[in-house]
Amino acid sequence: MQRTLRLAHPRLVLSNCRPHCPSSLVAARRNHQSAPQSTQTQASASASSSTFNDNRDSQRTTHFGFQTVPEEAKESLVRNVFDSVASSYDLMNDAMSLGVHRLWKDEFVSRLKPGSRGPLRCIDVAGGTGDIALRILDFAREKYADRETSVDVVDINGEMLKEGYKRFKKTMYHNTPQIAFKEANAQAMPESEFPSNTYDVYTIAFGIRNCTSVPDVLREAYRVLKPGGTFACLEFSHVNNPLFRTVYDQYSFSVIPLLGTILAGDRASYQYLVESIRKFPPQPDFAKMIQDAGFSTGALHEGKGGAWIDLWDGIASIHTGVKL
Amino acid sequence: MSLVSASLHASRRSAWFLAALAPANVALRHPARWQTRSVKTQPAYEGHIPLNWFEAGFLTLGSAFMSLANPRRGDMVAALGDLTSGPVLPRLRDSMLESAEGRQILKDRPRINSDTVDMNKLALLPEGTFGNAYVTWLERCGVTPDTREPVHYVDDPELAYVMQRYRECHDFYHCILNMPVNVEAELAVKFFEFANLGIPMTGLAAAFGHLRLTHAKRQRLFRDFVPWAVKCGSSAQSLITVYWEKRWEQNVEEMKQELGVWDSPVEPRWGKPLSEARAAAQKRGETQLQQQAS
């Protein structure tokens, strides 16, 4: 009697389960299935014609969580996700990670040691609500009495920047030259606002996996950094230990979308979140991408002298590189 | 063939052996190869979100907490209703099957929202008809039939429809009982629904909803409305079997006699109309303008 043990492999199982999606995600799926011509306004995809396009080579696709979507669509889909999560972003981070994201971000910033060698010009990309920026400024101030270090918070999403601006209003950095908020696309930051070779530190925390083209982001990072500048990326990554990975997967796919449903009334955005984590390249691949962008990194292994550091055995990892 | 019967046998007898993380309903799939999946995680209908026992428990607790903490979270109240409705929905479906009207509802599966119900036509009906009474009630309270959360967490599609039908008919119950939409009236209707239909969520709302009232309001509720609601609900015909959409022209008083309901002895407090209807009308106007512009 053959009966398979149903492996708790949520990645494969739950990719079939497409629950209640906001219309943008439903439109994306319909969009993909009917293979329309690539247009600029993919967000209103349901209005586009559904004639089959024979020129498939003009149709490049990418992943949006476990779904496949046209490349042009991903940006607006991600924008919809972040528009909807912006107001409860910080609360949800605390709820989903049980507060551990604070430890990760503290570790990330303390590795950078901002202010230890004089004031720095930092740029924090996809930094919406200002978690990293605030930590950088506080670290420099508390450890090194540095009040000249400045951070430019850049985000593609205006709602997230608004939340960051609100949060900074409650701090001493509001209306000082130490903080600035700019709306821009990390893949194409305008040269007028972000001239080349300007920044000492480029950070991007939990943002790069939402970008459509990671190599473009890395290229822009390389451009805006000064020679000798540091690139640092904190991102969810792949867990090494298989048992821990199973537990983590179970937690991710069962609890996190439900927390989204209960706390934020939005299941689809958090389903996207946990799926996008699985779609991101594993640590060695991402380290190779950083090297390909021109950065000098450590050897392709984890730990001391390596290109990355794993936090909590790979739930998150910090990749660093230096522009020579 | 023996593989089919073998897996049938296996699924039925050892359903509880299945990985504890399987969703609640075990649907059998015809095995094509050696690898058999005997649990279903595909959605069974539009909007269905299959949950396993752990997720269902987690969401039940979470939605119960959230409904109490923030009663305006209609989606949480709906989720709690879905998750706790388990044993009652088959009984309601069976009572629908027992009446001719109910059978017709299950066959047609009508939905109630501003697209399926022509409000303008109902407003033109003569005074005293059910359709006119309904539209009048909607305007008086300032609500629309469009704000009902769809059913997500019931696994069987027919039972999910029964639950959806209950939710969409809730306003009709308000209408024939002549109850507004403030908290005390809602609780009175919940008592009525619990007595009439037995849905656990209505019982929970009845049991815990009044805790947020002031003492005076709670006294008034239990003195004036609860005895009537319970008596009326338990003696009336099961309202889930009523095909409301076919009764627009029926005289309201006649309908109330037929169904076995009567007005409360004390007139409830009718407040100002809510802004729900106005907001919905505004949004409809905006989308219409957008469609015209594009």
Side-chain angles (χ1 to χ4, degrees):
Chain A
M1 203 179 333
Q2 181 68 44
R3 202 161 43 78
T4 54
L5 195 65
R6 178 176 176 280
L7 296 163
H9 207 197
R11 234 177 302 174
L12 300 176
V13 161
L14 281 141
S15 59
N16 289 325
C17 163
R18 300 305 327 157
H20 170 62
C21 303
S23 54
S24 57
L25 300 182
V26 174
R29 223 176 323 126
R30 232 183 293 139
N31 199 19
H32 169 65
Q33 285 164 2
S34 56
Q37 306 103 350
S38 35
T39 68
Q40 290 296 340
T41 51
Q42 286 293 354
S44 53
S46 46
S48 64
S49 67
S50 51
T51 52
F52 185 81
N53 188 2
D54 282 311
N55 301 340
R56 287 301 272 271
D57 20 323
S58 66
Q59 176 85 27
R60 288 208 318 271
T61 60
T62 180
H63 53 81
F64 178 72
F66 287 161
Q67 295 176 54
T68 311
V69 300
E71 235 178 52
E72 303 82 17
K74 178 158 179 180
E75 201 178 291
S76 54
L77 290 171
V78 173
R79 183 197 3 247
N80 289 342
V81 167
F82 281 95
D83 275 344
S84 105
V85 304
S87 54
S88 54
Y89 188 72
D90 294 320
L91 164 73
M92 285 302 304
N93 282 347
D94 276 332
M96 291 189 292
S97 66
L98 305 171
V100 178
H101 73 106
R102 295 167 187 243
L103 299 176
W104 293 332
K105 287 169 181 166
D106 289 341
E107 171 83 16
F108 180 60
V109 171
S110 58
R111 276 181 189 274
L112 290 171
K113 292 202 182 41
S116 61
R117 298 215 198 116
L120 294 175
R121 277 207 68 186
C122 308
I123 179 170
D124 180 32
V125 177
T129 54
D131 269 347
I132 299 293
L134 189 55
R135 281 175 169 82
I136 289 176
L137 294 174
D138 280 343
F139 191 95
R141 174 177 56 84
E142 283 169 10
K143 290 257 170 16
Y144 301 105
D146 169 6
R147 295 307 300 272
E148 280 75 42
T149 292
S150 70
V151 183
D152 288 346
V153 175
V154 175
D155 201 300
I156 196 175
N157 189 294
E159 294 297 314
M160 296 288 282
L161 278 177
K162 247 192 270 183
E163 292 295 319
Y165 184 77
K166 253 198 304 188
R167 177 211 251 145
F168 263 85
K169 256 186 153 180
K170 300 180 192 170
T171 68
M172 69 181 80
Y173 305 110
H174 175 64
N175 269 349
T176 68
Q178 284 190 277
I179 189 76
F181 292 91
K182 302 189 177 161
E183 196 170 325
N185 184 337
Q187 293 170 199
M189 300 196 286
E191 286 222 35
S192 48
E193 279 183 63
F194 303 96
S196 311
N197 303 315
T198 336
Y199 294 101
D200 298 297
V201 176
Y202 179 109
T203 55
I204 182 167
F206 300 124
I208 203 166
R209 74 177 185 285
N210 297 310
C211 299
T212 310
S213 162
V214 173
D216 286 341
V217 177
L218 296 172
R219 198 175 23 86
E220 280 294 289
Y222 192 82
R223 179 181 72 75
V224 301
L225 277 173
K226 282 186 204 154
T230 310
F231 169 84
C233 170
L234 171 64
E235 189 51 80
F236 287 114
S237 205
H238 294 244
V239 175
N240 302 309
N241 180 293
L243 183 63
F244 188 42
R245 187 176 351 152
T246 313
V247 173
Y248 173 57
D249 282 350
Q250 248 345 98
Y251 174 78
S252 289
F253 283 94
S254 288
V255 177
I256 289 183
L258 286 183
L259 280 177
T261 316
I262 295 171
L263 295 173
D266 178 2
R267 186 191 173 91
S269 299
Y270 293 90
Q271 186 77 31
Y272 160 71
L273 166 84
V274 297
E275 291 177 358
S276 66
I277 294 175
R278 269 81 199 159
K279 280 305 215 185
F280 192 68
Q283 291 91 318
D285 297 357
F286 184 50
K288 189 76 183 43
M289 288 167 87
I290 297 175
Q291 281 179 351
D292 290 342
F295 291 103
S296 158
T297 70
L300 281 177
H301 64 81
E302 197 264 342
K304 205 163 152 66
W308 72 89
I309 306 276
D310 278 337
L311 302 173
W312 285 47
D313 194 39
I315 296 187
S317 65
I318 303 174
H319 290 255
T320 47
V322 179
K323 172 175 175 175
L324 290 179
Chain B
M1 207 151 46
S2 62
L3 191 59
V4 176
S5 57
S7 51
L8 255 168
H9 187 64
S11 308
R12 257 192 228 127
R13 266 198 54 200
S14 351
W16 66 277
F17 271 126
L18 288 170
L21 307 162
N25 73 329
V26 179
L28 178 72
R29 290 237 308 220
H30 203 93
R33 288 160 235 218
W34 65 272
Q35 192 166 35
T36 315
R37 282 189 68 212
S38 30
V39 291
K40 221 169 145 114
T41 46
Q42 292 278 6
Y45 53 88
E46 171 105 24
H48 181 213
I49 300 175
L51 297 177
N52 59 47
W53 66 267
F54 169 74
E55 292 168 354
F58 187 86
L59 187 57
T60 308
L61 287 175
S63 61
F65 172 75
M66 208 57 181
S67 312
L68 269 180
N70 184 2
R72 313 213 59 163
R73 285 287 304 273
D75 57 328
M76 284 292 102
V77 177
L80 187 60
D82 288 349
L83 291 162
T84 53
S85 66
V88 173
L89 289 179
R91 259 195 287 138
L92 285 179
R93 192 255 318 267
D94 292 344
S95 70
M96 285 173 89
L97 287 174
E98 277 162 26
S99 91
E101 232 184 325
R103 281 195 292 274
Q104 196 61 40
I105 301 175
L106 284 176
K107 217 185 298 184
D108 297 341
R109 295 211 184 167
R111 299 293 300 267
I112 300 170
N113 50 50
S114 355
D115 297 323
T116 56
V117 174
D118 189 352
M119 300 293 171
N120 300 322
K121 195 162 71 86
L122 294 184
L124 293 172
L125 286 173
E127 180 110 9
T129 54
F130 172 61
N132 187 292
Y134 176 57
V135 177
T136 316
W137 179 86
L138 282 178
E139 271 171 44
R140 199 171 170 192
C141 294
V143 293
T144 79
D146 293 329
T147 48
R148 295 290 156 195
E149 178 80 9
V151 172
H152 295 302
Y153 306 109
V154 177
D155 290 327
D156 181 280
E158 189 170 45
L159 298 181
Y161 175 73
V162 174
M163 190 69 192
Q164 187 72 49
R165 178 82 185 159
Y166 153 68
R167 252 186 233 154
E168 289 174 354
C169 292
H170 177 78
D171 283 347
F172 294 140
Y173 306 159
H174 268 277
C175 178
I176 57 162
L177 294 174
N178 206 26
M179 283 272 137
V181 288
N182 50 48
V183 183
E184 312 90 78
E186 285 284 2
L187 286 176
V189 177
K190 286 287 173 230
F191 274 95
F192 173 88
E193 284 175 348
F194 189 54
N196 189 267
L197 303 167
I199 295 175
M201 183 60 205
T202 59
L204 286 173
F208 295 105
H210 61 83
L211 295 172
R212 294 186 121 230
L213 290 177
T214 60
H215 183 67
K217 283 198 178 153
R218 195 181 311 134
Q219 266 199 323
R220 208 172 334 128
L221 171 72
F222 278 97
R223 187 188 60 216
D224 297 337
F225 297 111
V226 172
W228 156 76
V230 175
K231 223 182 299 180
C232 193
S234 48
S235 66
Q237 164 191 347
S238 178
L239 291 185
I240 194 83
T241 60
V242 178
Y243 205 147
W244 304 95
E245 293 92 323
K246 296 205 165 157
R247 291 167 176 256
W248 295 128
E249 285 92 17
Q250 190 177 6
N251 181 283
V252 183
E253 296 305 318
E254 195 194 302
M255 184 194 272
K256 289 198 323 205
Q257 267 206 320
E258 181 194 334
L259 300 175
V261 303
W262 61 93
D263 276 351
S264 69
V266 181
E267 180 74 18
R269 180 181 66 85
W270 290 83
K272 277 193 309 206
L274 295 180
S275 55
E276 215 179 81
R278 202 163 17 98
Q282 251 185 341
K283 220 167 28 136
R284 249 201 316 275
E286 278 168 17
T287 49
Q288 267 180 3
L289 280 174
Q290 273 179 7
Q291 280 172 5
Q292 280 170 8
S294 63

